[in-house]
């Protein structure tokens, strides 16, 4: 019998899929995988109902013109430079295939969103991580000197994620400017994963492409913005002139994203902007963040407050992700799932707070009960 290639043999269920499966198995409150418990907004659902039965066949590989135009208007770019993808995951895969290959190195920050590593390796490239360091106060700092030192003649791209999953770190304009200067000096591509661009709790995160439009690919997600992660509508805003090749490349991955859902997102994007949907989303999530953070602190946990995303990192002695899902009935993501180098910075857990307040309260109550049966060990 022939064998699967090593890359397939070494492929495993992702931590997100696993924690959602275990949450189902143990009847746990799922604060693991980052998807909202609320329904998507009615204006999005209605637009989808209108599109099914009307826009059911393939779209052009670059995406429905209406959606590319809507994204262009929303992002402040030319719609012709936008490629619609089957989720941000496909966008990131396409960029890996297009921008680096065997012998190349790709810089990324650690903790690292798990798919960046296998996507680089599938492209034949080597992921090189630069650590974000966590201070005593629970702030994650970026040492630009370390990024500079990690650049080699083989470095082809810098993959940034802001707001950053899992730490919630929002990179400042000064940090981005320094990274752009580095990218220009070494002629690197910039990939900016901005799927949480509308989910922030302070100032709006600066967008990398405004600083380096000639070399930045911006990745976005309707799933994250419009609370419909299962729809698989993402996008890439490309430097001018490059969208055609990326669209051609994606003909061999998924050909196009689901057409009726593209039509629905095209209709919904201007409505979301006009009606203050994102402001409402941020207000709702800020309240949930504080509910969860205060509750976890009351249980003796140390909590890092995020600047964006719908995740927070927390730790408390005595917790393990396995014990929490199985015995406490709360699914979370262990921090070491985001580590490229083992061992990972110990004891941190990522909690998703994109869940109904009642679910967050239920999770806190369960953690409280679990804490009583499993006292804090130092
Ligand atoms: N972005 C989501 C998270 O961080 C998960 C994405 C996925 O499971 N593909 O939880």
């Amino acid at each position: 019998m022939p064998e699967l290639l090593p890359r397939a043999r070494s492929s495993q269920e992702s931590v997100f899929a696993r924690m959602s499966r275990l949450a189902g198995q143990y009847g746990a409150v799922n604060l693991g995988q980052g998807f909202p418990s609320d329904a998507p907004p009615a204006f999005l659902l209605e637009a989808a109902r209108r599109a099914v039965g009307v826009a059911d066949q393939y779209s052009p590989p670059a995406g429905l013109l209406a959606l590319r135009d809507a994204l262009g208007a929303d992002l402040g770019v030319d719609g012709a430079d936008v490629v619609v993808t089957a989720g941000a995951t496909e966008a990131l895969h396409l960029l890996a295939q297009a921008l680096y290959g065997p012998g190349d190195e790709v810089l990324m920050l650690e903790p690292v969103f798990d798919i960046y590593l296998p996507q680089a390796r599938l492209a034949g490239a080597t992921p090189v991580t630069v650590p974000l360091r966590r201070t005593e106060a629970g702030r994650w700092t970026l040492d630009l000197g370390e990024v500079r030192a990690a650049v080699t003649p083989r470095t082809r791209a810098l993959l940034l994620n802001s707001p950053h999953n899992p730490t919630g770190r929002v990179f400042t304009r000064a940090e981005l400017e320094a990274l752009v200067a580095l990218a220009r000096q070494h002629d690197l591509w910039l990939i900016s994963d901005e799927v949480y661009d509308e989910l922030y709790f302070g100032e709006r995160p600066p967008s990398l492409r405004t600083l380096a439009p000639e070399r930045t690919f911006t990745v976005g997600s309707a799933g994250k913005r419009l609370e419909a992660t299962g729809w698989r509508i993402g996008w890439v805003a490309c430097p001018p002139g490059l969208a055609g090749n990326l669209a051609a490349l994606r003909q061999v991955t998924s050909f196009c994203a689901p057409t009726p859902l593209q039509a629905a997102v095209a209709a919904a994007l201007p409505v979301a902007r006009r009606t203050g949907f994102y402001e409402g989303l941020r207000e709702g999530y800020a309240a949930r963040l504080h509910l969860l953070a205060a509750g976890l602190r009351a249980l003796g946990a140390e909590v890092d407050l995020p600047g964006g995303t719908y995740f927070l990192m927390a730790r408390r002695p005595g917790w393990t992700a396995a014990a929490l899902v199985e015995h406490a009935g709360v699914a979370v993501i262990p921090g070491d799932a985001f580590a490229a180098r083992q061992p990972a910075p110990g004891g941190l857990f990522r909690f998703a707070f994109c869940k109904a307040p009642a679910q967050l309260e239920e999770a806190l109550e369960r953690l409280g009960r679990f804490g009583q049966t499993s006292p804090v060990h130092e």
Side-chain angles (χ1 to χ4, degrees), residues 214-240:
E214 82 288 358
R215 64 185 64 243
T216 304
F217 293 85
T218 309
V219 174
S221 160
K224 297 293 179 188
R225 277 192 179 195
L226 298 172
E227 310 257 271
T229 59
W231 284 29
R232 314 312 297 141
I233 305 291
W235 57 82
V236 193
C238 305

Side-chain angles (χ1 to χ4, degrees), residues 41 43 74 225-226 267-279:
F43 59 82
D74 193 276
R225 277 192 179 195
L226 298 172
L269 282 174
V271 180
R273 190 63 71 197
R274 200 172 59 237
T275 58
F277 173 74
Y278 301 123
E279 286 80 353

Side-chain angles (χ1 to χ4, degrees), residues 14-17 20 32-35 89 113-115 165-166 195-196 224 229 232 310-311 333 338 350 352:
S14 87
V15 68
F16 306 108
S20 284
Q33 196 173 25
F35 63 89
T89 302
F113 183 56
D114 70 330
I115 63 169
N165 181 4
V195 297
Y196 301 101
K224 297 293 179 188
T229 59
R232 314 312 297 141
Y310 39 49
F311 307 117
I333 304 293
F338 304 96
R350 193 195 75 175

Side-chain angles (χ1 to χ4, degrees), residues 180 183-184 190 207-217 239:
V180 163
R184 291 208 169 113
L190 291 168
S207 178
L208 193 57
R209 77 171 293 116
T210 58
L211 304 176
E214 82 288 358
R215 64 185 64 243
T216 304
F217 293 85

